[in-house]
Amino acid sequence: AAVARLVVKSSGCGTEFQPFSTSVMSGVAAMVSLRAITAACCSLALGSAPILRQVAAPGLGDSMLGLVNKGGTPGARDFDPQTVADRRSQRFIEGGIRNAFPSIRIVGEEGDLGSNSEDEAAVKKAMLETKIDLSCLDGKWPTARDTLVPSDEVCVWIDPLDGTREFTEGRFEFVSTLVGVTWKGKAIAGVIAEPYYYDFNERPEGSTENARAIWGSPLGDVGAHVYGQDDWKPSQPAKERCIVTTSRSRTQGPVVDTLERLGSRVTEHVQAGGSGHKLARVIEGKADIWLYPAGGTSKWDTCPGDAILHAIGGHVSNAKGKPIVYDADASYDNSEGVIATRRTDYFEATVEAAAPSMAAV
């Protein structure tokens, strides 16, 4: 099994992540394994859960969020907070990926982060305790179905703490860590890790974990899976059910208008926080449509769920019904909104219902 421990070298107040050689890279210049990259993303997304939980968790008491306002007005809809957990989680995940695959491109929500000795110590501790098992997905993604591609065609998109607003409010059920992989601008693998999932849901028998990760890829009929649960499959809701999930904080204008046009087709409307949370509910079958016909999300919000939903025959597009292109050299905003669903009939109906709202966009 290809297992590697992260190698950390401290220098001043920063942390350098030293690359190591792996069998998937040796002898094939500038070629990388998409299966191995996805395995690393799984290991790191789950490995970031203790970082988040050390900052804030149910029953932890007062937390030291180290809050920074990236924009907007605190308490208002446009408030865009960043916490110490966002910063540490991104440094951990980004450093781990660079360590294993030093030549691939990485786009992280939190940008070029600064550092301090406390952050460095927390990230270094997590690095030393984490193994990247490049073979951890072999049971669901065999070597025979792997794809080797030039590293300059691959980009990894990271949202280290999706649902930061909810995180600061103690609404941990809406928090996730998102890592997506694109190849030539198309989402081809994704991980949605929910660090507090089993604080709110029943654990599998014998498990003591708090975190859960859904991962998947449309390549080679890999499909969608829950990491470590071999028997998991998405549920199959009743055909007549139509649960639409929308944002907690952005529910005006085109969202309401589109819901009204969908009319009696909608059997339930659920408002929830976090793009990753809503995508995970659609993937596993607890919701049928994620509707967001407006700007306000980014490529790192949608990339992982885009890959996973396509892996099970679903749809993720902008609100005009066009594929989302993950161009690392263009805008990171999903300015034309998002629609996500597992069902083609719901996809077509939602695109039609959103059309009047999107006409001027």
Side-chain angles (χ1 to χ4, degrees), residues 174-193:
F174 298 131
V175 171
S176 61
T177 294
L178 308 177
V179 189
V181 183
T182 59
W183 176 30
K184 295 182 177 179
K186 185 175 181 179
I188 53 85
V191 182
I192 301 176

Side-chain angles (χ1 to χ4, degrees), residues 3 19 39-40 48 94 108 114 186-187 190 196 198 212 229 257 265 275 331 357:
V3 180
S48 72
E94 183 176 347
K186 185 175 181 179
Y196 304 95
Y198 291 118
R212 188 188 79 161
Q229 295 182 29
D257 294 343
R265 181 190 298 267
S275 300
S331 171
S357 296

Side-chain angles (χ1 to χ4, degrees), residues 43-258:
S43 294
L44 291 161
L46 283 169
S48 72
I51 294 175
L52 305 189
R53 296 182 67 91
Q54 285 166 8
V55 175
L60 188 61
D62 292 340
S63 57
M64 300 296 292
L65 295 176
L67 197 64
V68 173
N69 183 7
K70 294 191 293 180
T73 304
R77 289 194 309 155
D78 62 348
F79 183 41
D80 187 13
Q82 182 198 81
T83 71
V84 65
D86 295 80
R87 299 188 286 275
R88 291 175 183 176
S89 178
Q90 179 160 309
R91 284 184 60 78
F92 169 74
I93 297 170
E94 183 176 347
I97 292 170
R98 290 198 188 284
N99 192 39
F101 305 97
S103 57
I104 67 174
R105 189 162 182 180
I106 299 173
V107 175
E109 179 183 7
E110 306 309 333
D112 185 13
L113 304 177
S115 183
N116 57 47
S117 58
E118 189 174 350
D119 285 351
E120 180 185 353
V123 173
K124 183 176 180 179
K125 180 178 183 292
M127 287 281 182
L128 293 173
E129 293 175 349
T130 301
K131 291 181 179 179
I132 297 180
D133 184 353
L134 300 182
S135 64
C136 68
L137 307 182
D138 285 4
K140 300 295 184 182
W141 193 344
T143 303
R145 286 189 276 165
D146 195 5
T147 303
L148 294 176
V149 299
S151 59
D152 60 1
E153 296 177 356
V154 177
C155 184
V156 173
W157 301 74
I158 303 169
D159 187 343
L161 199 172
D162 179 57
T164 300
R165 180 200 294 261
E166 286 75 16
F167 182 77
T168 65
E169 296 170 350
R171 297 174 180 264
F172 301 113
E173 66 271 30
F174 298 131
V175 171
S176 61
T177 294
L178 308 177
V179 189
V181 183
T182 59
W183 176 30
K184 295 182 177 179
K186 185 175 181 179
I188 53 85
V191 182
I192 301 176
E194 296 177 276
Y196 304 95
Y197 184 83
Y198 291 118
D199 290 288
F200 301 94
N201 297 275
E202 186 178 354
R203 286 183 178 84
E205 187 175 353
S207 173
T208 59
E209 299 296 327
N210 293 305
R212 188 188 79 161
I214 299 176
W215 71 275
S217 172
L219 299 178
D221 297 321
V222 170
H225 308 276
V226 166
Y227 183 84
Q229 295 182 29
D230 291 342
D231 58 349
W232 180 87
K233 291 183 180 179
S235 65
Q236 298 298 323
K239 186 176 181 179
E240 63 274 11
R241 193 195 78 174
C242 183
I243 299 176
V244 178
T245 182
T246 65
S247 171
R248 289 177 58 240
S249 57
R250 301 181 179 100
T251 57
Q252 306 302 312
V255 176
V256 173
D257 294 343
T258 304

